[in-house]
Amino acid sequence: MSEDGRFTIQLEQQEGFQITAKFDWKRVPDLLMDEGPPLGEQAGPNASRMLAAAAANCLAASLLFCVFKEEPPAHCLRAEATCSVARNDKKRLRVTRIEVRLIVADVVKEAPRFARCKDLFEDFCVVSASIRQGIPMLVTIEDQSGEVLHRSA
């Protein structure tokens, strides 16, 4: 990202509702996005799914960076993002809530920094903190047995 925090993603319609997103990083492959039926063919994720994935990815990366700083151990975190969509008073579909569940391995919850990080990692997530300004979010950290280690609304 440039110093002023700006970057450009290029999108190009292919056919129907299929749109290719071309990212500003040369090593990142293009991503095909699409709408679900009846508009599209579900050939790729739609914008709402990308939004939920972006929030979960940012939160996961923020937690891992806070806990481990450098290189986190492989396969120590999984995430689930649930996006609620409903019609508003004008009958327009809107994202009404995003819930992110981070499932951490023992190596994360037993790390010396975890106790402190679980209470502050959300503050450093660019995407979820921005989304929260307009969409309610619930974030939960659980261990692999399902024990809730942290929950914020």
Side-chain angles (χ1 to χ4, degrees):
M1 189 180 324
S2 68
E3 188 63 30
D4 66 356
R6 292 171 47 106
F7 58 91
T8 301
I9 308 298
Q10 297 177 350
L11 291 99
E12 184 178 332
Q13 188 260 351
Q14 301 302 311
E15 60 180 87
F17 288 88
Q18 294 181 5
I19 295 175
T20 300
K22 297 176 186 235
F23 296 90
D24 59 327
W25 290 350
K26 294 187 186 317
R27 295 178 58 185
V28 175
D30 294 350
L31 173 69
L32 180 67
M33 298 175 68
D34 196 6
E35 292 296 323
L39 299 177
E41 300 173 11
Q42 288 182 338
N46 65 6
S48 298
R49 284 165 174 75
M50 293 296 297
L51 180 69
N57 174 263
C58 189
L59 285 162
S62 182
L63 179 62
L64 290 175
F65 179 76
C66 185
V67 172
F68 297 108
K69 289 294 182 195
E70 299 299 320
E71 188 69 27
H75 308 290
C76 67
L77 183 145
R78 294 181 297 117
E80 293 178 358
T82 302
C83 184
S84 299
V85 178
R87 294 196 183 275
N88 65 11
D89 58 348
K90 293 182 179 180
K91 306 295 185 219
R92 309 289 194 263
L93 287 175
R94 297 292 183 258
V95 174
T96 58
R97 182 177 176 90
I98 297 174
E99 297 177 24
V100 175
R101 194 170 134 226
L102 303 175
I103 302 103
V104 298
D106 288 346
V107 68
V108 176
K109 78 175 190 177
E110 293 168 1
R113 298 174 54 88
F114 178 72
R116 181 169 182 260
C117 289
K118 71 180 182 179
D119 293 325
L120 76 110
F121 79 102
E122 291 180 65
D123 227 16
F124 293 92
C125 176
V126 174
V127 176
S128 68
S130 300
I131 290 170
R132 263 199 175 112
Q133 292 180 10
I135 301 170
M137 285 189 67
L138 172 66
V139 178
T140 305
I141 301 174
E142 298 178 5
D143 65 14
Q144 293 174 318
S145 70
E147 179 185 345
V148 174
L149 306 172
H150 172 79
R151 176 172 283 135
S152 66

